[in-house]
Amino acid sequence: MIKTRMTDLFGCKHPIMLAGMNWVTTPELVAAVCNAGGLGIFATARCTPEETRKGINEIRKLTDKPFGINQLLILGQVARDTIQVAIEEKVPVINYTLGKPWFIDEVHKYGGRVIGTTAFVKHAIKAAELGCDAIVVTGAEAAAHGEEASTLIMLPIVASKVKIPIISAGGYGDGRGLAAALSLGASAISMGTRFALTKESTVHEHFKQLCLKATENDTIVSTKFDGMRGRALKTPVTERIAKGGFPLVEAFRGAYETKQLFNLSWPKFIGMSFSMMGSDDQHPLWVQARQAAGYRRHTLAIYDGNMKEGIYFAGQILGACNDVPTVAELIDRIMVEAEATLKKTYSMLA
Ligand SMILES: Cc1cc2nc3c(=O)[nH]c(=O)nc-3n(C[C@H](O)[C@H](O)[C@H](O)COP(=O)(O)O)c2cc1C
């Protein structure tokens, strides 16, 4: 048994968290992680407030353990509405990224906890100053939105600068990784790629099989997948998109997706398109449109297993993923290996 500040703070058995992954972290996967002793996180960025409430209720039917939701604060009102639902439902953990949390006091009032997620040292320090209870620090190895610095670099730097518990993300999949993270100053690890490759994960079989064959060199980083720097499984689709120029058609397609998603009128859509054409490609409208285009491709991969158009976010830890265990098998295995590794390391002390 390994007890850390993270297991004390969140009341879970093991220092392992399920990373928020839109479309992947279903209530079933979240509950499976909670029931196996970890902290399950339900990603809500692509959920309406009603879907968020429904997901929370489904999780509560499947587990009585603490769990959390994850939200991208850049989504503005959509994020506000979802967080409001989570507060009304007194969700034990609110995990946010990409923005400034306004809800920390409200969550603390009902005994909940707030976890910030970042890939930058300066944002980790800010999250601690703002009153977050813990922080997820994501290294470059991670699927999706890591930055340039690897976990090995980021984690000790952040650990020397913040006092709140750190949950390290990016590149974890086994017990040796957990033992290393604890030695580097983390109180827990968060995993995405590895949990997406479990029996309870509903990721399409085509992509699970591709992941099993992939090595640590079979991922690719680009800003062209969804407008933000992101790491995905290397396939003919992702290689073509990464090598191509600015994805103009893709971005307009994304703008149209945004129109459909938020029920925008045609005049609003045309206005948005003109604003996009008058601004540089880093303008929030372009980024938003490219995100929407990326979302379409992610769902094609995750739900349909579409290899011709789908993009599947995946991290470098794929190189060490050789099977599709159940969540409980995976967590048990990691804990046994982490304990053995820590004992072996301890025995080296003269
Ligand atoms: C299939 C998949 C989908 C993901 N989707 C999202 C997402 O929608 N939004 C997000 O911020 N991060 C997403 N992530 C990233 C995770 O939240 C997490 O940061 C990352 O997986 C941690 O590193 P690891 O993959 O090495 O475990 C996704 C990861 C995977 C594997």
Side-chain angles (χ1 to χ4, degrees):
M1 184 97 163
I2 298 177
K3 262 176 76 66
T4 71
R5 291 169 72 201
M6 186 268 197
T7 55
D8 285 347
L9 187 64
F10 300 111
C12 50
K13 191 171 170 200
H14 302 306
I16 297 177
M17 177 173 138
L18 166 69
M21 298 178 273
N22 286 296
W23 306 287
V24 180
T25 47
T26 56
E28 290 74 20
L29 184 59
V30 173
V33 171
C34 297
N35 288 334
L39 180 66
I41 300 287
F42 176 48
T44 55
R46 304 307 290 172
C47 296
T48 61
E50 294 72 39
E51 287 165 345
T52 301
R53 202 181 298 275
K54 190 166 167 252
I56 292 168
N57 289 333
E58 278 175 36
I59 294 166
R60 284 199 162 124
K61 276 188 206 137
L62 298 169
T63 185
D64 57 0
K65 305 278 186 302
F67 67 96
I69 63 119
N70 168 283
Q71 185 55 280
L72 309 184
L73 302 190
I74 40 160
L75 296 179
Q77 194 55 44
V78 176
R80 286 188 172 272
D81 293 346
T82 311
I83 301 271
Q84 189 50 40
V85 167
I87 289 172
E88 283 165 21
E89 294 289 338
K90 296 189 170 49
V91 170
V93 178
I94 310 285
N95 173 213
Y96 73 89
T97 186
L98 298 174
K100 196 171 163 192
W102 61 89
F103 43 81
I104 296 182
D105 287 346
E106 249 180 295
V107 174
H108 284 167
K109 259 187 223 151
Y110 68 77
R113 303 288 186 191
V114 177
I115 308 178
T117 291
T118 180
F120 293 99
V121 174
K122 64 178 179 185
H123 293 163
I125 297 169
K126 189 79 200 159
E129 284 169 4
L130 288 170
C132 284
D133 301 284
I135 178 93
V136 172
V137 178
T138 310
E141 301 90 331
H145 308 121
E147 285 293 328
E148 297 250 344
S150 70
T151 293
L152 186 61
I153 302 300
M154 287 281 285
L155 177 52
I157 295 178
V158 176
S160 65
K161 291 183 190 286
V162 305
K163 292 201 165 57
I164 55 174
I166 300 167
I167 302 164
S168 183
Y172 295 105
D174 63 20
R176 285 168 300 178
L178 171 57
L182 298 177
S183 304
L184 288 168
S187 296
I189 55 170
S190 168
M191 302 190 299
T193 301
R194 183 66 264 205
F195 274 131
L197 204 51
T198 56
K199 288 216 167 67
E200 290 87 343
S201 151
T202 52
V203 166
H204 196 283
E205 202 51 34
H206 288 168
F207 278 87
K208 281 189 177 168
Q209 289 306 320
L210 281 185
C211 286
L212 285 177
K213 287 189 203 126
T215 73
E216 58 285 0
N217 296 316
D218 291 329
T219 63
I220 181 166
V221 174
S222 173
T223 54
K224 295 185 190 130
F225 301 143
D226 67 359
M228 291 189 282
R229 188 181 194 278
R231 186 183 293 282
L233 184 66
K234 201 186 272 179
T235 62
V237 179
T238 51
E239 285 192 286
R240 180 169 42 77
I241 292 176
K243 278 191 198 129
F246 179 76
L248 194 67
V249 176
E250 190 87 353
F252 274 109
R253 191 168 188 170
Y256 181 72
E257 296 280 323
T258 311
K259 173 194 174 300
Q260 299 298 84
L261 190 68
F262 295 111
N263 240 334
L264 301 182
S265 63
W266 278 105
K268 266 227 157 105
F269 171 64
I270 291 165
M272 183 166 98
S273 302
F274 272 112
S275 305
M276 280 167 65
M277 282 188 283
S279 49
D280 71 81
D281 67 12
Q282 289 309 306
H283 189 277
L285 276 175
W286 281 114
V287 174
Q288 192 186 35
R290 286 154 70 192
Q291 254 175 30
Y295 285 159
R296 179 184 148 268
R297 288 188 183 270
H298 298 326
T299 50
L300 284 176
I302 291 165
Y303 291 150
D304 304 342
N306 181 330
M307 311 248 205
K308 288 203 177 114
E309 290 187 80
I311 294 178
Y312 184 70
F313 278 149
Q316 292 175 324
I317 192 64
L318 274 186
C321 299
N322 305 312
D323 61 357
V324 184
T326 65
V327 165
E329 283 163 357
L330 177 64
I331 291 184
D332 285 351
R333 187 160 88 189
I334 291 175
M335 292 315 300
V336 168
E337 193 182 29
E339 278 187 40
T341 307
L342 288 171
K343 279 183 191 149
K344 196 169 149 199
T345 310
Y346 185 74
S347 73
M348 290 176 199
L349 286 175

